[in-house]
Amino acid sequence: MMRRTSHEFYMRRALDLARIGSGRVSPNPMVGCVIVHDDVTLSEGWHHAYGDVHAEIDALRFLQGRADGATMYVSLEPCAHHGKQPPCTEAIIASGVSHVVVAMTDPNPLVSGRGIQALRAAGIAVTTDVLRDEAEHLNRAFVHWTTTGLPHVTLKIATSIDGRVRMPEDQPRYITSVESRLRVHRMRASRDGIMIGIGTAMWDNPELTVRLCSGRNPVRIVVDPSCRLPTTTTLVQTARDVRTIVICRDEADPRAQRSLIDCGVEIHNVSADEDQVVDSRDILRVLARLNIASILLEGGPYLAGRMLRDDVIDEIEMHTAPIIIGSGPVWFADNDLSRWKACHARRVGSDIHAQYVRKR
């Protein structure tokens, strides 16, 4: 049997390969695969795009499906069910692989241990939980979406030292540095959807596209309970080019809804309470049904505050610029942030980037 350190070496490579699929495979997970024999890498593969062959098949086809006596490293348990692709376990068993090393069990109840059981029943040795924490972190959006039925939500905040999230009208538009904005565009490219509230849509008239780096545009989502989004905004004018969704109340003006639909906007309705407030989880349930598994919540302060209070935020990405604005909305107003802790902090350009997760 290979040394544990060797297992971790090859699994780390499988995780690196899996990351190549970021922004392309959702709502499927990112998966990488490495096939090794006598400490020589024979083949590598990864899941390239949603609906495409899985990582194991991608690696095996380079070897014409044969890998006798080899060890396969895969960052997620191989599937044992028919979906868009046939079961990977069948191809692995037929290939002659003698040992499969798995980073994490698939949380999908259609798989969840069945792939490992099928391999072991065929006489293949299986080692599990190699770099499991790293694998679960990589696919945290997939795990969350699969186990909760809701998209994984990352709140992105660009703020001044005094917590302001909007520059005065006579000042430059952006609070943070170009380096921070580049990082945010990379985050956009890795998420299924990008969400803002109607206030931000009307105040900033944003594009919400990926422009500073390569990558796909996420689905643009505007939470607009009363359906007030003007048809003259950039979001509506480009809706036929970039998928755009407006979430509004059932009772919202039907003529306004029809005007947006005629411009190429998708309208999805949710119910509201007696105060005409829509529930955050109802919004997320609608998006989950559309196979939107991960969301970057970019504003504004009202929507961010409400989703924090509704406890549907899974992590916070904050870029803090070394400036004091002195007036305007504060992103954390009326929110208890004591349950959040910083797990990562570093300098990005002139700003400080910090990632926050819930305290356990």
Side-chain angles (χ1 to χ4, degrees):
M1 182 178 291
M2 293 177 132
R3 299 184 305 276
R4 179 74 175 183
T5 52
S6 294
H7 283 341
E8 293 175 354
F9 174 82
Y10 291 116
M11 188 61 74
R12 205 169 299 282
R13 175 58 182 165
L15 290 169
D16 287 341
L17 292 167
R19 289 185 184 93
I20 300 173
S22 177
R24 299 179 177 89
V25 303
S26 184
N28 281 353
M30 294 172 278
V31 185
C33 179
V34 180
I35 300 175
V36 178
H37 194 284
D38 291 334
D39 275 332
V40 175
T41 298
L42 303 180
S43 180
E44 298 180 335
W46 63 91
H47 187 27
H48 290 250
Y50 180 65
D52 201 352
V53 298
H54 293 179
E56 302 94 319
I57 308 305
D58 189 44
L60 282 170
R61 62 185 176 182
F62 180 78
L63 302 173
Q64 286 76 52
R66 297 301 305 177
D68 297 284
T71 297
M72 173 182 285
Y73 294 84
V74 61
S75 59
L76 183 73
E77 175 186 7
C79 65
H81 69 287
H82 285 270
K84 287 186 176 295
Q85 297 291 332
C88 292
T89 51
E90 293 181 0
I92 294 170
I93 292 167
S95 74
V97 163
S98 62
H99 188 187
V100 176
V101 182
V102 177
M104 62 175 284
T105 302
D106 193 329
N108 185 342
L110 292 174
V111 184
S112 196
R114 292 184 177 89
I116 292 171
Q117 291 172 5
L119 295 175
R120 285 174 172 159
I124 297 174
V126 180
T127 300
T128 61
D129 298 333
V130 175
L131 299 184
R132 183 186 64 189
D133 290 347
E134 289 89 334
E136 289 179 346
H137 180 76
L138 175 66
N139 275 312
R140 61 195 182 281
F142 169 75
V143 172
H144 182 84
W145 180 67
T146 302
T147 57
T148 69
L150 298 177
H152 181 278
V153 181
T154 300
L155 172 59
K156 189 278 295 183
I157 296 292
T159 182
S160 61
I161 290 175
D162 56 341
R164 311 293 175 176
V165 293
R166 186 176 295 159
M167 294 291 282
E169 289 189 44
D170 60 343
Q171 297 294 317
R173 176 181 178 184
Y174 297 108
I175 293 175
T176 53
S177 65
V178 65
E179 292 88 353
S180 289
R181 298 199 298 275
L182 172 59
R183 188 179 184 281
V184 169
H185 279 242
R186 288 172 177 159
M187 291 170 62
R188 288 180 179 181
S190 70
R191 265 59 171 195
D192 296 338
I194 179 170
M195 180 188 288
I196 60 172
I198 182 59
T200 299
M202 296 179 71
W203 178 277
D204 291 339
N205 191 25
E207 295 180 53
L208 301 184
T209 54
V210 175
R211 302 183 302 278
L212 302 183
C213 64
S214 61
R216 68 166 185 176
N217 290 316
V219 178
R220 304 180 301 190
I221 305 156
V222 182
V223 179
D224 181 13
S226 299
C227 202
R228 295 187 292 130
L229 185 66
T231 57
T232 54
T233 56
T234 300
L235 290 169
V236 178
Q237 291 294 306
T238 59
R240 297 191 189 281
D241 301 316
V242 182
R243 187 181 178 191
T244 304
I245 292 172
V246 166
I247 306 288
C248 61
R249 298 194 316 264
D250 294 323
E251 302 82 3
D253 183 352
R255 290 174 298 178
Q257 295 186 52
R258 172 49 57 187
S259 294
L260 293 178
I261 291 171
D262 289 344
C263 292
V265 174
E266 291 181 36
I267 298 289
H268 292 275
N269 300 107
V270 294
S271 59
D273 62 20
E274 58 187 17
D275 296 321
Q276 302 304 307
V277 175
V278 297
D279 184 85
S280 298
R281 284 180 175 79
D282 287 341
I283 295 170
L284 296 181
R285 289 187 189 102
V286 167
L287 299 174
R289 289 196 293 269
L290 299 174
N291 281 345
I292 295 174
S294 60
I295 293 171
L296 186 63
L297 176 58
E298 288 210 18
Y302 174 80
L303 182 61
R306 176 151 195 88
M307 288 198 155
L308 279 168
R309 288 191 294 275
D310 288 346
D311 198 27
V312 296
I313 305 295
D314 299 294
E315 60 186 58
I316 299 173
E317 298 269 355
M318 185 184 302
H319 291 85
T320 303
I323 59 174
I324 296 174
I325 295 176
S327 63
V330 177
W331 75 269
F332 54 80
D334 301 322
N335 274 290
D336 178 13
L337 302 179
S338 61
R339 67 180 182 275
W340 294 90
K341 68 173 182 178
C343 63
H344 171 86
R346 67 188 178 101
R347 185 164 181 167
V348 177
S350 58
D351 309 322
I352 297 298
H353 163 246
Q355 183 182 60
Y356 293 82
V357 296
R358 288 191 184 94
K359 293 179 181 177
R360 294 182 177 179

